[in-house]
Amino acid sequence: MAKRIGILTGGGDCPGLNPAIKGVVYAAEKLGYECVGLAEGWKGLVDGKTIKLDKKITEYFTEQGGTYIGTSRTNPYKIEGAVKKCLKNFKKLKLTGLVAIGGEDTLGVATKLHKEYKLPVVGVPKTMDNDLSITDYTFGFDTAVTVAADAAFRLKDTGKSHRRIMVLEVMGRHAGWVALFTAITSGADFVCIPEKKIDVSKMMKKLKESYKRKKFALVVTSEAAELGSLGKTAGKKELDQFGHVILKDRGMGSQIASLIERETGIETRFAVIGHIQRGGSPTVFDRILSLRVGMQAAHLIHKKNFGKMAALVGNRIMGVPLHKATGKLKTVDKHWRDLMEILF
Ligand code: F6P
């Protein structure tokens, strides 16, 4: 029997997961392994539920959005007895190694399982939020920004026609990368990111100027931007299994639009594109990146280089320590905030 590699995709899905799975499968088969998918993230290892994977099944995964093997935000460390079940099922399924494809949370679990139990696991970074350290980019981000930029262009058309200010709310959790890159690429007039409290008077001044000049304006806001005391008073915050505040009901786009209308007297509308950013075919950049990190993960397992993550460093894919990727969130840094000051 060929040696076996288990593959799981955990956390929020994003375009690039299927090509990453294909990358692992193709490289693994070439190295003499067979692959098996674990259904719906860590849940699959807890339950021992598998999905067949091979080159034939994954042949056209390069252009496919979503994840064939499913995902969930299951955290085995938060479920009684689940870590033991993961270890037991790893043996029962006769796995040589495990490829965990995920973001901060999924890879955080992989880091712990490797550190505490020497589980032979390697990581593949994915997230539309682009907030993982030690990798220059995560796949999913480029597609999410491309989709958001398209939405921004469309909002500009309708904003211009109606002489309105338009506000676009994008995802990205506690990192402002998606909002910032969308705002830059769409030539927005103002951008609100979680890393920098919104300077309301500066925003109003800029929007009034823009509106006077061209009779419309566009604001891009991250779902987690902060309005300080002007913002909605936070009610009871709902947390996911990893302790993250669920941001879906925060309504930043709506809050900012109301504030703008109140302060400027200019008719303002908002749009929230939410999960649309996570669906559809990955961009060329994401297809290539996800295939490459997937292939590298199979090689890391083959070389018994466990506890590592396949990262993009410059233009190379390298094995970097998993714990470094998940130890600290990569948020919008000074270089980008300075650039933001120039552009907005
Ligand atoms: O982490 C990816 C992400 O899309 C975030 O940008 C967003 O806050 C969150 O997931 C939404 O999660 P869910 O799919 O559980 O609503």
Side-chain angles (χ1 to χ4, degrees):
M1 193 180 127
K3 290 184 284 180
R4 272 183 133 190
I5 293 178
I7 305 174
L8 64 84
T9 54
D13 69 340
C14 70
L17 288 170
N18 279 328
I21 294 169
K22 173 177 174 173
V24 181
V25 170
Y26 270 56
E29 289 199 9
K30 193 160 176 97
L31 293 164
Y33 295 79
E34 65 172 27
C35 290
V36 64
L38 294 152
E40 296 154 30
W42 289 111
K43 189 171 183 293
L45 194 57
V46 176
D47 299 341
K49 195 171 161 209
T50 60
I51 294 175
K52 186 177 159 55
L53 285 174
D54 59 25
K55 276 175 79 172
K56 223 165 108 191
I57 293 169
T58 60
E59 185 177 1
Y60 293 112
F61 273 19
T62 311
E63 67 262 38
Q64 284 177 21
T67 166
Y68 178 75
I69 54 178
T71 186
S72 70
R73 294 198 190 276
T74 305
N75 182 354
Y77 280 91
K78 285 281 157 100
I79 305 166
E80 178 90 35
V83 169
K84 271 200 181 133
K85 283 187 187 165
C86 285
L87 301 172
K88 207 174 109 211
N89 284 327
F90 184 89
K91 276 198 185 137
K92 200 169 148 200
L93 294 167
K94 297 191 170 42
L95 300 178
T96 312
L98 176 67
V99 177
I101 308 176
E104 181 208 358
D105 300 333
T106 305
L107 298 184
V109 172
T111 308
K112 270 177 106 175
L113 288 174
H114 177 256
K115 190 169 166 232
E116 293 170 8
Y117 302 99
K118 296 271 164 284
L119 190 80
V121 59
V122 302
V124 168
K126 70 85 216 179
T127 164
M128 63 156 283
D129 303 337
N130 197 36
D131 59 358
L132 274 175
S133 296
I134 321 282
T135 184
D136 290 351
Y137 285 96
T138 52
F139 67 77
F141 173 66
D142 188 65
T143 312
V145 172
T146 303
V147 170
D150 180 63
F153 298 143
R154 289 166 195 271
L155 287 180
K156 280 202 290 194
D157 279 348
T158 167
K160 274 181 202 162
S161 307
H162 285 265
R163 298 4 180 172
R164 285 171 174 160
I165 296 178
M166 305 302 290
V167 179
L168 171 63
E169 179 188 312
V170 298
M171 281 182 170
R173 216 185 240 169
H174 299 293
W177 297 111
V178 179
L180 182 58
F181 275 50
T182 303
I184 292 174
T185 192
S186 62
D189 297 275
F190 204 81
V191 59
C192 308
I193 60 170
E195 290 86 346
K196 196 169 182 286
K197 202 177 140 234
I198 303 168
D199 182 338
V200 175
S201 53
K202 187 178 166 199
M203 173 163 73
M204 298 308 164
K205 189 167 173 272
K206 178 77 198 291
L207 293 178
K208 279 181 193 161
E209 274 168 18
S210 296
Y211 191 83
K212 202 170 159 203
R213 189 164 43 83
K214 53 185 180 172
K215 288 276 173 284
F216 88 97
L218 173 70
V219 176
V220 177
T221 180
S222 137
E223 60 182 347
E226 283 296 335
L227 263 178
S229 58
L230 289 169
K232 196 161 71 178
T233 40
K236 196 167 165 278
K237 289 180 182 161
E238 205 190 326
L239 304 180
D240 66 18
Q241 277 198 14
F242 289 89
H244 299 295
V245 179
I246 296 175
L247 296 164
K248 71 176 166 53
D249 296 326
R250 206 156 166 265
M252 262 338 273
S254 141
Q255 287 190 59
I256 290 177
S258 306
L259 184 67
I260 292 171
E261 203 166 72
R262 211 164 54 233
E263 294 288 313
T264 64
I266 303 165
E267 196 174 33
T268 305
R269 296 286 190 270
F270 71 93
V272 183
I273 49 171
H275 294 81
I276 293 170
Q277 294 156 97
R278 297 219 313 240
S281 188
T283 56
V284 171
F285 179 86
D286 278 342
R287 290 181 199 187
I288 305 289
L289 175 59
S290 48
L291 272 167
R292 288 176 79 198
V293 285
M295 288 190 274
Q296 176 69 12
H299 283 279
L300 288 172
I301 288 190
H302 184 60
K303 287 185 207 137
K304 297 194 175 8
N305 220 342
F306 304 121
K308 294 281 166 64
M309 180 181 85
L312 176 69
V313 182
N315 197 25
R316 293 180 57 206
I317 307 293
M318 294 168 55
V320 299
L322 246 180
H323 67 91
K324 285 200 177 165
T326 53
K328 193 171 172 268
L329 215 60
K330 183 177 74 185
T331 50
V332 174
D333 57 18
K334 186 171 178 313
H335 164 79
W336 286 99
R337 287 200 304 274
D338 288 349
L339 199 138
M340 186 174 146
E341 287 304 313
I342 299 170
L343 288 171
F344 305 102

